[in-house]
Every structure is written in C-alpha cells, then in structure tokens.
Amino acid sequence: MSATPGTTVRRRLRPVLVALYGALVPLLAALLLAAPPAAARTDAVADVPYATLTEVTDFGSNPSNLQMYLYVPESVTPNPAVLVAVHYCTGSGPAMYNGTEYASLADRYGFVVVYPSVTRASKCFDVSSPQALRRGGGSDPAGIKSMVDWVLGTYDADPKRVFATGISSGAMMTNVLLGVYPDVFAAGAAFAGVPFGCFATTDGSEWNSACANGTVTRTPQQWGDLVRGAHPGYSGPRPRMQLWHGTEDDVLRYPNFGEEIDQWTNVLGVSRTPASTDTPATGWTRTRYGGTGDQAPVEAISLQGVGHNLYSYGTMGARVLTFFGLDGSGPAPQPQPAGCKVTATTSAWSTGLTGSVTITNTGTTAVNGWKLGFTLPGGQTITNGWGATYTPASGAVTATNAAYNGTIAPNGSVTIGYQANHGGDSAAPGAFRLNGTACASA
C-alpha cells in the first residue's frame, strides 16, 4: 500500500518537488530491484505479524494524520531497540521500507523498525512550521513520538535505544526529532539534510529556498540555541548525530553540511576541530568530533562528487547501525527453538470461555525467554490470564513468559491459560509461533 506521490502542491513548491521526484525515481527503481516487497495491511491492530510490513492505526495522538508502518522481525529481541526510518519528499513508509535495508538488518539484529508516512499532497515532512519546531507544538513530530510510544508499550522496547534516520526530507525530520525530543532519541543519522530550524517559515510554506540553497548561516552558538529552544529547560543528555552529504547536492546544497556540524558539535559541547579524519571508502571523508571511535558524539561523512541522491542500498545502513551500536552490541536475538508443539483447548459457556495452552520444547536445547504468537478467533477478547502476559487482548496476540517460567528445557512443557469473552466462536487458536518458529499442533 505505498502512497502515491502527490500532484497538488503549492505553486512555489512545484518546481522543486518535480525536480526532486525526477531525481529520485531512477534511484528508487534501482533500489527496489534489490529490496523485499512490502505487504501492508490496513486494519487496526495492537500487534503485528512477524517479518511483514504492517500498517498500524489508532496508535495515539496524530495531529497531522501520518500513517504508521511497522516491521517486527521474527528474531525480535527481548526489550528491542527501535529505529524510526523517515522517508524523502514524494516518498512513503512502504517506499522507505523497500528502498533501504533496515528491515533485513532488523532480521539480523532483532530491533523494530517504524516507517512514518506522510499523507499531505507534497509527501514532505513538516520541518518548517512553528508547531513542528517546538516540543508539544503538534504536527509531524508529535505523531512520530506517538508511534515510538506505541512500540515501547506494545513490545516492551528499550526506551534508551530509540534512534532515527532519514533521507532528504526525512533527514531534516531526523534533525527536528533530535531537537524536539532529546529525551526520546539516543542518536540520529541524517542523509542530505539541513540543520534544525534552518527550514523554518511562518507563512505556511513548506519550502525555504534560502536554506535549501545553503545561504542561511549562523554561528555554532546560534544554531545550538535553536535546538535548545525547542525544549526549554531540558538539561539531560543530548542525542549523538551522524551526518552525510554529497558535495554536488543541488537540492539541499553542501554548505548545509557544515552548518549541521556547527550545530550538533555545539549542542553536544564538543570541539569543532575534528578528533579524527579518515577515508572509509573511495571519495568519502569522515570526520569525528568529541571522540575517535565508532560512536563519537558527532560523525560527519562527506561524499566527493555525489549529488542529492547519495543513499546507497547495501553499504550505508550497516554504517548507521555501527554508529547507533545496534550491530551486535545489544542483546542477542531470542533463541530459536529447534522444534515446538502446542496443545490448545477451550471450555466455553454462553458468552465466555477458559483457554488452556501447553507449550512443549521438542528440541534438544533449552529455550530461555519466549514469546508465543497466535490469533484469537473473531469476537474473542481476553479478560485475564495466567502464566504469561497477553498483548493485545484480541486479534493477533503475543503471550510473553512470566518471570518463573521463561526457561523451557528440552522435552519440557509450560502450561498457560486465559479467560475470554466470545461472540459465538469459542474455538481455540489454530496456529502458534514460539519465538518466531511455527509449532506443530497436537
């Protein structure tokens, strides 16, 4: 269900967005050949299928009517990290899913990916209005924050490991998110963006030509003050920032790269003089500020001779994960059982039922920590349960082990249960997945 590029835009935006669209289409056509297909759904759910791009609705406050797409890998870790991947102008959440490798990286490392999607005609994120540039102001950042909150609550995700990355308009939104919600995001990676506040307008326009052309310059202190002013009174830690820009960018011109470095070194309180400089790939110049390691406070990569369409599928996403610390330094993926069997029965009365579910580990190694996924028949809603935490109460349910029964020894079993209301169909679920592995039914 990828969104269709908008055709009705403000007169002043049309030439820029048409140029953007024309430049991005060839790139995306090439990227889509290498990416897995999206498979979205439109019903409101409180959980989603594993390894499938799914649209989630009714996720919380959403003042600008964004869409939320979600990818949860079968190997999702306990307390997973969350990555918000933000699309470019004329794009969509499904297009970002198809055109980047974050879903396949999530399969490998066990984090959850959120793909926000714009519904306004331009398909550009709001990075310019006063509402977008202050905490609690509303607009797109508030909707994205609601998506993050939904994932944190639904998947017991790690609030200290929430990250954002984006391309073009999404890169600008990455700057905005880190400025407005420094207590939410641990780090960001912006591909071909501009500093926080550079695109600000007060006339309702989505486009700021002076900023796009690289003619808006400020001192590092002034840039930093714009970020600090988005959340007045905040004195906690600030998110780290990774910046990418091509020297031949003719849409958001190269001087914006230096202004971003000025801004985030000031925000993070580190020297504008690089702590290290190297060339990790041909034509790339990487400078690090405030540290020399892979997770320096600020990392900036300049791509010589490269234009606006700088993102390269298969080479850059892994470097983003290294900067975020998501490429192996987090929790290990949940163990995948070599085999499992589930026996499920129900005992029903007029409008209610009791369900009993026995999980047997038929493999030769213990399962330490488990999630059991199943779908309740239509009309059934869990009212209470034991032996596990059930989320949500209806539809696609995930039962997560209790503290006392998280280990299932080889040939061992665990029995859990629940009570539910029903609307006539009192049958037990027919299929189960243990830590993403399909189980035999008995």
Side-chain angles (χ1 to χ4, degrees):
M1 290 183 61
S2 62
T4 302
T7 56
T8 304
V9 296
R10 296 179 182 276
R11 184 176 299 276
R12 73 185 70 185
L13 277 174
R14 185 181 300 276
V16 177
L17 295 180
V18 167
L20 260 175
Y21 183 73
L24 282 167
V25 165
L27 173 69
L28 291 177
L31 292 179
L32 292 174
L33 292 175
R41 55 189 277 186
T42 57
D43 54 309
V45 294
D47 202 353
V48 300
Y50 290 121
T52 300
L53 185 68
T54 304
E55 183 177 3
V56 177
T57 60
D58 194 24
F59 50 83
S61 175
N62 185 22
S64 55
N65 195 34
L66 298 178
Q67 292 175 291
M68 173 184 176
Y69 292 89
L70 190 68
Y71 183 83
V72 181
E74 290 191 350
S75 60
V76 64
T77 64
N79 310 119
V82 181
L83 175 61
V84 179
V86 195
H87 68 73
Y88 40 84
C89 280
T90 76
S92 67
M96 190 70 175
Y97 165 83
N98 281 313
T100 60
E101 65 269 48
Y102 296 115
S104 61
L105 290 169
D107 289 335
R108 181 174 180 182
Y109 296 112
F111 57 87
V112 175
V113 191
V114 178
Y115 298 94
S117 195
V118 170
T119 57
R120 65 177 60 89
S122 67
K123 298 298 187 291
C124 296
F125 284 92
D126 177 12
V127 295
S128 58
S129 75
Q131 292 77 18
L133 296 175
R134 69 174 186 271
R135 189 182 186 87
S139 196
D140 294 350
I144 295 173
K145 169 65 161 50
S146 294
M147 298 177 195
V148 170
D149 288 342
W150 188 94
V151 174
L152 292 175
T154 301
Y155 292 95
D156 194 24
D158 187 348
K160 295 181 180 179
R161 296 192 302 141
V162 178
F163 305 91
T165 186
I167 302 170
S168 189
S169 179
M172 293 191 276
M173 177 52 71
T174 297
N175 278 268
V176 169
L177 290 172
L178 269 59
V180 174
Y181 296 112
D183 52 335
V184 173
F185 293 92
F191 289 83
V194 303
F196 175 97
C198 183
F199 241 59
T201 60
T202 57
D203 62 358
S205 172
E206 295 178 49
W207 193 258
N208 184 318
S209 295
C211 178
N213 290 331
T215 62
V216 175
T217 60
R218 293 185 170 92
T219 67
Q221 182 68 35
Q222 289 171 330
W223 281 124
D225 287 345
L226 283 176
V227 172
R228 288 181 285 270
H231 187 5
Y234 177 74
S235 58
R238 294 281 177 172
R240 297 178 297 109
M241 177 62 94
Q242 183 185 65
L243 303 165
W244 301 71
H245 221 104
T247 61
E248 301 304 313
D249 192 327
D250 60 355
V251 177
L252 301 174
R253 293 189 180 273
Y254 188 67
N256 283 300
F257 182 55
E259 300 298 307
E260 285 181 294
I261 295 172
D262 284 347
Q263 182 170 69
W264 290 104
T265 52
N266 181 267
V267 167
L268 287 158
V270 299
S271 173
R272 181 62 171 79
T273 301
S276 69
T277 302
D278 65 356
T279 305
T282 303
W284 295 15
T285 301
R286 177 172 61 189
T287 49
R288 287 168 167 167
Y289 304 85
T292 59
D294 288 335
Q295 296 174 33
V298 177
E299 179 175 272
I301 300 96
S302 173
L303 282 71
Q304 182 63 39
V306 176
H308 189 62
N309 295 332
L310 80 168
Y311 189 88
S312 177
Y313 186 101
T315 62
M316 295 179 176
R319 294 181 182 273
V320 170
L321 290 203
T322 296
F323 182 73
F324 290 166
L326 293 181
D327 57 350
S329 60
Q334 286 179 286
Q336 301 302 300
C340 52
K341 180 178 67 176
V342 173
T343 302
T345 61
T346 58
S347 177
W349 57 94
S350 57
T351 60
L353 62 87
T354 299
S356 178
V357 178
T358 298
I359 310 162
T360 301
N361 176 10
T362 59
T364 58
T365 59
V367 174
N368 295 301
W370 52 264
K371 293 178 183 289
L372 184 71
F374 56 91
T375 299
L376 290 172
Q380 292 188 18
T381 302
I382 294 175
T383 56
N384 62 77
W386 51 92
T389 301
Y390 299 85
T391 306
S394 61
V397 177
T398 298
T400 303
N401 66 269
Y404 60 83
N405 64 3
T407 299
I408 310 177
N411 298 314
S413 298
V414 169
T415 298
I416 61 176
Y418 57 89
Q419 286 186 328
N421 296 325
H422 68 82
D425 187 346
S426 60
F432 297 85
R433 299 180 73 88
L434 182 64
N435 288 356
T437 295
C439 297
S441 297

